Structure formats: structure tokens, C-alpha cells
Amino acid sequence: MSVIVVEGGHSLEGTIRVHGAKNAVLPILAATVLSGGKSDVENCPALRDVAATVRILEHLGCSVRREGATISVDSSAMQRSDIPECLMREMRSSVIFLGAILARFGTASVAMPGGCELGPRPIDLHLSAFAQMGVNIREAHGIIHCECPKLHGAAIHLAFPSVGATENVMLAASLAEGTTVITNAAKEPEIEDLQIYLNRMGARVQGAGSDTIRIDGVSRLYGAPHRVIPDRIVAATYMACSAVTGGTVELTDVCPKHLEAIMAVAREYGAELIVEENRIIHRAPQRLRAVKMIRTMPYPGFPTDAQAPMMAALCYADGTGIFTETIFENRFKHVTELTRMGADITVEGRIAVVRGVPQLGGANMCAMELRGGAALVVAALGAQGVSRIGRVHFIERGYENLTEALSGLGAKIRKETEDEQREKKTHIVCP
Ligand code: EPZ
């Protein structure tokens, strides 16, 4: 397994482009099966999760071609309606295909996605919404079988503004008979991006970005072109990297509107921000100020996916801050790894108290999940000495060429292959 090696203490200076949003690409690629036509999706980052989604499309019978950052999907020859366990286990968010396959074929079977590093990850909101749309759902031997010759619209109130459940209902309702109204819908920018793509395909969706989304079902959808929005979590992570190294970094191809909660935290820790239409210049203070309270919330609140990278930065702050993780029940796994570097963090349930220290020391660490792994890179960039981070595959799920991107800003960071580790006897033992 590769590791990431970081020599900390080098300030980051320069310009970095933010790649397309993983959490927009995944539902949009799932939506391509609705059309039976050809769609060119631009600005798709080269990520493990995107590759996993492409494997599912190919398993279903779609033909998929990537040319640079454009993924072309032709779903005309699609003939399967099942996603096997091996593909579901690779990426639990593949459950997003359920609504699209159901709408296309009236039948779908997917393996239970199971939990992940963040906790159980139930899909009860998805399934109860489908039941309201007329779907017969049967679970047997870990497989969810859904049958519904013709989906019909429904009034669906989500008990929690689940991103995935909102997207799944939008996909199913696009080809359902009648109108579906989702109340307490998730309002994330990725939902709005999905609405834009669906409407380009001929769907009739309105209200994405608000808590009420109306979908008037149509009889047929067509392939359409789309360019995916920038990844706001990657942008937040790059800001955290700038924050711990005291440098000035210009982020390009970003959407500042999606980053209001992140920028509020950056200003509170003392960054100077210059914000223009699609770029942000982040000038870090010499010493970060503590941010008293960060509570993760559904959009437009502070995003749970940015919690770990920002916590890593604030380990260096002058003062104490409190993080409350309200979205996932087990999203502090990065804390034990950060304490190996000398971070002073106390966790009690969903609350983490971070007492800033002036300096952290390089250490061997293991990524436990995607954003927690990115947090270890953030902390290592500001540390004294060399850090080595194992289980890089978690980080590669959501960050395209992270080591190359940060090296371009002056970071001393590289990937080390297994052979190099063997040669240098620098293996890291990860659980
Ligand atoms: C999406 O996951 C994102 N993934 C996650 O990003 C993100 O953290 C999350 O939304 C919240 O913003 C993708 O878009 C691919 P949810 P999703 O349904 O849809 C509970 C990353 O790092 N819930 O909004 O799975 C659930 O257990 C990833 O890029 C139910 O109880 O999130 C969780 O506690 C991680 N029942 C909460 O809601 C359900 O049926 C939020 O889940 C569905 C969800």
C-alpha cells in the first residue's frame, strides 16, 4: 500500500485549481441511466469513487468512455437492473442508483450498502420514500429487491434532510406518473447541480436548493451535456492546508457562494480572504486564532465533510475550540491519529474539544476514512519533521492527485510505493 510522506514546515504559495465535485458527479452519473441516450459529463475528477461508479455503469450494460475530465455515458444498451455486493461494498453511496434503475426498468436489486467508517449509514429514508411511490420492497439475504411496474408521484416528507434520499427520490420521480413533492429536502449545491442536469435531459424539477422540491414526472428523458460544479470540500481542504503553513494560496474554479460557512470560519481563525466570482485568495495569519464553536449542519450550515480538515488546522490555533458533529455518529476517527503528532483533543460522544498548541511533530499515521485522511495531510504540512500517512486509498476516493497539487504550491509531499518502503524499511502498520 502506498503511503504519503510529508516534510512539514514549508509555507504554501501560489495558485491551485479546484477539481469537480465528487458528490455532484456520482448522482449525475447515476442519472445518465434514466435517458437511454448519450451524455457527456465534464469536469469529472479522477477519483476512486468516480471509477467505482463507472464500473457500476458498465456492469449495468452502459458504455462509458473517459477523455480527460469528460466522461461520456451511453445508456441505450443498458440491460441489467442489479448491483452486486462486490460493487456496493466498494462505495455505499451506490445506493443512489436505486431510484434511477427503478425509474428505467421498474425493477431493481442492490446489495444492502452496509455501514462504513462513519457509522451504520441506514437507508430507511430512501426506502420509505420509494414505498410511498408504489415500490414493493423485499429484503432477503442482504439484497434489497424493488418492484414497481409504474412509479407514481407522492408527497414525501424527509424526517432528516438526507442528501442521498433527496437525490434518489428526484431520480425516481423524474419518470414517475404524476407529481412528487419532497419537503424537508436537502439543500446542498450538489442537489441543485443534479436538478440542472435532469432538466437538461427533459425532466421537470424545480426547487432544488430550497427545502421543497417539486418533480412533475415525464414519459421519457434524453441524454444531455453537463459540466459539474467545483468541489467545495476540496476547496475547504486547500484553505486548511494554507492555514497551517502560513502561506497565501489562490483557489481558482471555485464557487464562493457554496463556501460561505467555510469562509466564516476562515475569517474567525484570522485568514484574510479576497473573494471574486470564481476564485478565492486565502492569506493565512502567522498564528491561527481559535474558532470557539464549529457545529456541523446540513447545508448551508458548516459541512460535516470539512470538519476533519478544519479540526486539523485548528490544532495549531491559539486557544480552545469546540466541534460538534451532528450529522454522523462516528466521525472523529482522525483524532487518535492527530494526537500522535501531539494534538490536544478530547472527544466525548459527538463533541471534540480542541486545545490549540503552537507546534505539532511529524508522526506515522493511518487514514481511517476519506476526510479524516485528508486531515492528517493538513496537520502534517504544518508539523515539525516528517510524517508518513498510510491507507492512502481512502484519501484517493475524494482528492485528485493531492500530492501533486500540493507540491505545486511548495509543499514537500510525495507518495512512497511499497517497494520504496521495503527498501527503506519504512512500512507503517495500519489496523
Ligand atoms: C452525502 O452522503 C455525501 N456523500 C457525504 O459525503 C456527506 O457527508 C453527506 O451527504 C452529508 O452531507 C455523497 O454525496 C456521495 P445523508 P449521504 O443521507 O447521502 C442519516 C464525503 O466525505 N440517514 O445526508 O449518505 C445518515 O446515517 C461523503 O464526501 C438516515 O438515518 O448522507 C447520516 O447520519 C461522506 N437514513 C445522516 O442521515 C437514511 O435513509 C446524513 O446522511 C439516510 C441517511
Side-chain angles (χ1 to χ4, degrees):
M1 294 274 199
S2 308
V3 299
I4 288 178
V5 185
V6 182
E7 180 190 294
H10 301 274
S11 84
L12 302 191
E13 305 285 346
T15 297
I16 189 165
R17 179 187 170 275
V18 173
H19 60 64
K22 168 179 83 78
N23 293 347
V25 171
L26 302 187
I28 285 168
L29 288 179
T32 61
V33 312
L34 290 169
S35 68
K38 185 170 175 296
S39 292
D40 294 331
V41 184
E42 295 178 15
N43 202 26
C44 295
L47 304 173
R48 284 178 179 268
D49 276 10
V50 174
T53 304
V54 167
R55 279 193 287 278
I56 290 175
L57 287 169
E58 289 170 335
H59 165 81
L60 294 172
C62 302
S63 65
V64 186
R65 190 167 38 82
R66 179 191 268 271
E67 270 181 32
T70 298
I71 292 179
S72 299
V73 182
D74 182 342
S75 60
S76 54
M78 175 177 163
Q79 80 284 357
R80 298 191 67 141
S81 59
D82 70 303
I83 302 182
E85 182 168 3
C86 57
L87 291 176
M88 281 302 288
R89 284 224 179 261
E90 265 192 275
M91 187 180 64
R92 63 159 312 282
S93 46
S94 313
V95 70
I96 196 67
F97 274 92
L98 202 47
I101 297 171
L102 263 175
R104 174 82 183 265
F105 285 143
T107 178
S109 59
V110 298
M112 278 299 280
C116 74
E117 306 75 25
L118 307 183
R121 304 297 292 273
I123 57 168
D124 55 306
L125 298 176
H126 301 241
L127 299 182
S128 56
F130 289 147
Q132 283 182 259
M133 298 175 77
V135 179
N136 296 316
I137 299 165
R138 184 170 51 82
E139 293 176 38
H141 311 298
I143 305 286
I144 304 168
H145 299 278
C146 298
E147 295 292 335
C148 182
K150 189 63 192 157
L151 288 159
H152 60 71
I156 291 166
H157 180 80
L158 294 176
F160 178 85
S162 156
V163 171
T166 301
E167 292 166 344
N168 236 337
V169 173
M170 287 166 73
L171 294 171
S174 295
L175 286 174
E177 236 157 34
T179 296
T180 298
V181 177
I182 309 170
T183 49
N184 197 29
K187 300 185 274 193
E188 273 71 355
E190 293 76 25
I191 309 262
E192 285 184 271
D193 210 28
L194 178 61
Q195 171 177 286
I196 292 168
Y197 173 60
L198 286 171
N199 287 342
R200 280 206 186 116
M201 294 170 81
R204 293 170 57 200
V205 186
Q206 51 188 308
S210 78
D211 59 11
T212 303
I213 300 176
R214 176 191 170 109
I215 307 106
D216 295 304
V218 296
S219 55
R220 141 125 234 237
L221 293 174
Y222 303 85
H226 187 73
R227 180 178 176 79
V228 168
I229 56 172
D231 193 310
R232 57 197 170 97
I233 306 303
V234 169
T237 307
Y238 288 160
M239 283 192 214
C241 293
S242 165
V244 299
T245 59
T248 297
V249 171
E250 177 192 23
L251 306 182
T252 59
D253 206 1
V254 287
C255 188
K257 184 164 73 74
H258 299 161
L259 288 157
E260 291 298 349
I262 300 292
M263 291 194 288
V265 165
R267 291 188 181 102
E268 193 173 342
Y269 65 54
E272 186 193 333
L273 300 179
I274 299 170
V275 183
E276 293 176 3
E277 190 186 346
N278 57 9
R279 73 183 194 139
I280 295 172
I281 295 175
H282 177 284
R283 184 166 294 133
Q286 272 316 303
R287 175 92 197 264
L288 299 174
R289 292 197 299 261
V291 175
K292 296 230 170 335
M293 170 69 83
I294 291 183
R295 172 187 291 273
T296 64
M297 293 294 282
Y299 192 87
F302 187 89
T304 174
D305 296 345
Q307 177 254 107
M310 278 302 169
M311 182 187 289
L314 292 168
C315 286
Y316 290 93
D318 182 11
T320 298
I322 297 175
F323 282 79
T324 307
E325 173 53 62
T326 71
I327 306 293
F328 289 105
E329 61 184 56
N330 190 12
R331 201 164 200 178
F332 287 143
K333 287 191 167 172
H334 45 285
V335 169
T336 45
E337 299 304 296
L338 291 172
T339 53
R340 291 170 183 275
M341 301 177 73
D344 182 349
I345 307 171
T346 308
V347 171
E348 186 67 42
R350 291 192 180 217
I351 289 176
V353 178
V354 179
R355 294 174 194 81
V357 293
Q359 189 55 54
L360 294 180
N364 285 351
M365 298 175 281
C366 294
M368 302 294 187
E369 47 94 14
L370 163 54
R371 306 301 175 185
L376 304 184
V377 173
V378 171
L381 288 168
Q384 207 157 32
V386 175
S387 298
R388 313 171 80 77
I389 299 159
R391 300 169 76 173
V392 172
H393 62 281
F394 278 121
I395 300 171
E396 291 169 340
R397 292 187 56 184
Y399 294 88
E400 182 183 70
N401 300 331
L402 185 62
T403 51
E404 291 83 344
L406 295 175
S407 299
L409 294 174
K412 294 281 178 274
I413 180 171
R414 62 187 173 80
K415 268 173 75 173
E416 193 174 69
T417 64
E418 286 224 37
D419 290 345
E420 286 174 283
Q421 293 167 50
R422 206 170 294 117
E423 204 179 294
K424 297 178 186 169
K425 297 187 177 34
T426 52
H427 259 97
I428 301 179
V429 179
C430 288

